[in-house]
Amino acid sequence: MTLALVSDAGSDNGMATIQCVLNSLGLKSPRVAYIASEPDPERCYYRATQEIYHRLGAELCHYVELETDFDAAVADAMFGFDGIHLSGGDTFRFLKWLKKRNLIEPLRKYLSEGGALIGVSAGAMIMTPSIESAWLCGDSNDVRLQDLTALSLVPFQFIPHVDSDIKDGSALLDTLSARYADVNSPSPQRWDKPTAELCFCPDDAGIAVIDGEVIEFGQPVNYRAGS
């Protein structure tokens, strides 16, 4: 299994995390496909991400749209690439359309067959068992997604963009719960108490998982309820 989970792909440790995963592929110039979390008609976010991969010696060269411009053949073609980048954005909207396009199981299969998945912010949260903690970074379930189960590639939930000055998981949970209490209230599934392991990830941090080994970059903060 080859994964990268980062908050900000352009930060020093975000790039180091992605570089670690790309290096593990053993290829001179890995080719990476990109799944947009929502429409990007001017390709602004895509082009910015292309530049990051160029700096890392890889080529981001295949754009997959999930909504109105979805093309099943284009989506199928991405599984021939060395890596797939799951972009940042609206986590609930992203997961809704991945499920609508029946891409959850193909992504798991791709990973099991040696592909690499690189998730940024929302994309990283979708790699966890559930996105029920997405409200802790301000995401609102405006699409009224009922089933929040996700790819379940790691055993923890991922919360990006946290304050790097707070090093205690319990304090981070209390801070974010208070900050985004109004965001949680209208959600179809309210998340009152954490029941899983959480990984709080500042922008300049990331986690790589390579063949079962977890490699941390920067200072992600791990928290388990009751610990």
Side-chain angles (χ1 to χ4, degrees):
M1 182 179 294
T2 308
L3 307 171
L5 299 90
V6 303
S7 281
D8 182 351
S11 69
D12 288 345
N13 280 309
M15 292 180 68
T17 306
I18 297 171
Q19 184 78 80
C20 177
V21 163
L22 294 174
N23 289 347
S24 75
L25 299 175
L27 302 170
K28 183 176 180 180
S29 181
R31 298 172 70 246
V32 181
Y34 176 102
I35 306 180
S37 64
E38 55 192 84
D40 182 13
E42 302 300 322
R43 303 290 193 269
C44 296
Y45 296 105
Y46 176 64
R47 288 199 301 271
T49 308
Q50 279 185 308
E51 178 57 30
I52 291 170
Y53 278 92
H54 177 72
R55 291 167 61 188
L56 296 175
E59 183 181 11
L60 187 73
C61 52
H62 189 77
Y63 178 91
V64 179
E65 162 73 67
L66 296 177
E67 299 188 23
T68 54
D69 291 333
F70 177 75
D71 185 319
V74 171
D76 287 344
M78 74 180 170
F79 296 112
F81 283 73
D82 306 307
I84 295 176
H85 179 102
L86 304 176
S87 68
D90 182 328
T91 313
F92 295 101
R93 183 176 180 177
F94 196 3
L95 183 58
K96 172 187 174 178
W97 283 95
L98 284 171
K99 291 187 173 187
K100 190 175 181 68
R101 300 307 185 189
N102 297 312
L103 289 172
I104 295 297
E105 286 306 321
L107 283 167
R108 289 182 179 135
K109 183 173 184 289
Y110 167 80
L111 187 68
S112 71
E113 294 177 346
L117 289 181
I118 298 161
V120 176
S121 190
M125 284 189 276
I126 284 171
M127 294 160 71
T128 73
S130 166
I131 63 163
E132 63 184 0
S133 61
W135 69 276
L136 287 172
C137 63
D139 279 5
S140 177
N141 191 356
D142 297 326
V143 298
R144 312 299 290 179
L145 182 65
Q146 296 295 321
D147 181 6
L148 304 185
T149 58
L151 285 167
S152 199
L153 304 175
V154 293
F156 54 82
Q157 292 180 334
F158 185 85
I159 298 93
H161 313 303
V162 303
D163 188 342
S164 60
D165 293 331
I166 303 177
K167 309 300 183 185
D168 178 75
S170 181
L172 276 167
L173 180 60
D174 289 344
T175 298
L176 296 173
S177 296
R179 181 181 301 166
Y180 296 118
D182 291 342
V183 174
N184 191 27
S185 297
S187 298
Q189 296 185 19
R190 184 180 174 93
W191 190 62
D192 292 315
K193 295 180 180 179
T195 57
E197 182 180 351
L198 308 179
C199 175
F200 295 98
C201 191
D203 282 347
D204 191 24
I207 296 173
V209 181
I210 300 174
D211 295 331
E213 180 185 3
V214 178
I215 307 167
E216 295 184 351
F217 294 82
Q219 293 185 308
V221 177
N222 299 311
Y223 171 83
R224 184 184 295 276
S227 62

